[in-house]
C-alpha cells in the first residue's frame, strides 16, 4: 500500500513520471503479477518497455478479460514485430473461427519470411480449398525446398479438383 501511495505522489503531486515508473518497477519486483502496478507502469512507459509491460498485464489478467482483449488487439496492430506476432497468435487461439486474425498472422509471417510457420498453419487448417492447397505446394517447393510436402499438397489439390491443369502441370514439373 505504501508503494502505491509513493507512485501516486511521484506521478501526480511531484510531476515526476520517471520516479513513479522506477517505483512501479521496484513494486513489480516484489509483486510481479500486480495488475494495478502493471497498468500504472505501462501508462508511464513508452516503446518496447510499454509493450513488455502490456504483455505482462495480458498474462496477469484472467482469460476473456475485456482489457486483455483490447491490449491484444492494440499490440497486434501497433506493437513491434515480436509483440504483433505473439498477440495475433493469442487472438487466433481465442477466436479460432475469425479469419481476419488468421490472415493478419499469415501476412506478418510472410513479411518475416517465416515460411515454415505459414505452411504449418495451412496444414493445420486441413483445408480442402484448391487455391490454398496449390499455395501450400508453392511454399513447400519454392520457399522450403520440400518436394515431398509439395507433392502431397498437389495430390490433395487434385483429389479436390481432379481437372486442375495447374496442379497437374506443377506435379509433372516436380
Amino acid at each position: 500500500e505504501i508503494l502505491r501511495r509513493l507512485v501516486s505522489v511521484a506521478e501526480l503531486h511531484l510531476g515526476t513520471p520517471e520516479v513513479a515508473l522506477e517505483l512501479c518497477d521496484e513494486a513489480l519486483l516484489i509483486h510481479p503479477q500486480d495488475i494495478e502496478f502493471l497498468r500504472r507502469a505501462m501508462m508511464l512507459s513508452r516503446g518496447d518497455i510499454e509493450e513488455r509491460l502490456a504483455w505482462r498485464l495480458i498474462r496477469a489478467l484472467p482469460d476473456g478479460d475485456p482489457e486483455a482483449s483490447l491490449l491484444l488487439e492494440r499490440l497486434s496492430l501497433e506493437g513491434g514485430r515480436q509483440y504483433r506476432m505473439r498477440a495475433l497468435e493469442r487472438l487466433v487461439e481465442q477466436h479460432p473461427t475469425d479469419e481476419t486474425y488468421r490472415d493478419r498472422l499469415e501476412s506478418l509471417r510472410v513479411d518475416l519470411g517465416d515460411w515454415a510457420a505459414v505452411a504449418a498453419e495451412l496444414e493445420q487448417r486441413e483445408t480442402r480449398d484448391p487455391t490454398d492447397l496449390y499455395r501450400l505446394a508453392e511454399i513447400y517447393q519454392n520457399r522450403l525446398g520440400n518436394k515431398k510436402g509439395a507433392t502431397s499438397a498437389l495430390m490433395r489439390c487434385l483429389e479436390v479438383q481432379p481437372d486442375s491443369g495447374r496442379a497437374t502441370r506443377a506435379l509433372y514439373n516436380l
Side-chain angles (χ1 to χ4, degrees):
E1 186 60 37
I2 293 171
L3 278 172
R4 291 184 207 291
R5 288 184 185 167
L6 286 173
V7 169
S8 291
V9 167
E11 183 183 6
L12 301 173
H13 301 294
L14 300 177
T16 54
E18 298 82 16
V19 173
L21 182 57
E22 287 178 29
L23 290 168
C24 283
D25 287 341
E26 293 296 320
L28 288 168
L29 291 174
I30 299 165
H31 307 287
Q33 300 294 351
D34 188 296
I35 291 171
E36 186 179 329
F37 281 125
L38 284 166
R39 280 185 187 128
R40 181 73 63 59
M42 192 180 79
M43 288 188 299
L44 293 167
S45 60
R46 297 286 173 256
D48 187 53
I49 294 169
E50 180 183 15
E51 291 173 352
R52 269 188 285 140
L53 290 165
W55 194 256
R56 283 178 62 185
L57 180 56
I58 288 165
R59 289 194 328 247
L61 291 168
D63 282 344
D65 184 281
E67 182 179 6
S69 296
L70 288 172
L71 286 170
L72 279 171
E73 185 63 36
R74 192 176 111 214
L75 281 176
S76 78
L77 294 169
E78 301 171 4
R81 285 181 173 179
Q82 171 189 359
Y83 293 104
R84 284 195 338 251
M85 180 79 74
R86 288 168 66 187
L88 284 167
E89 287 169 348
R90 192 73 158 298
L91 287 165
V92 166
E93 283 175 22
Q94 291 177 356
H95 308 279
T97 59
D98 190 329
E99 290 298 314
T100 303
Y101 293 128
R102 284 189 184 284
D103 292 345
R104 286 176 44 207
L105 179 58
E106 184 179 319
S107 177
L108 180 59
R109 285 177 172 159
V110 167
D111 289 348
L112 296 174
D114 191 355
W115 296 105
V118 174
E121 174 63 27
L122 287 169
E123 289 283 8
Q124 183 181 352
R125 289 184 194 180
E126 297 179 4
T127 184
R128 305 270 307 150
D129 180 335
T131 304
D132 285 345
L133 289 167
Y134 188 81
R135 183 162 180 262
L136 178 61
E138 285 184 322
I139 291 169
Y140 276 133
Q141 175 64 25
N142 300 329
R143 301 296 181 167
L144 300 174
N146 180 342
K147 285 186 179 187
K148 184 178 177 182
T151 301
S152 173
L154 288 168
M155 293 300 289
R156 286 182 281 160
C157 183
L158 287 170
E159 286 172 13
V160 176
Q161 191 176 29
D163 61 342
S164 172
R166 184 176 175 197
T168 304
R169 280 189 303 280
L171 192 57
Y172 176 77
N173 289 329
L174 280 177

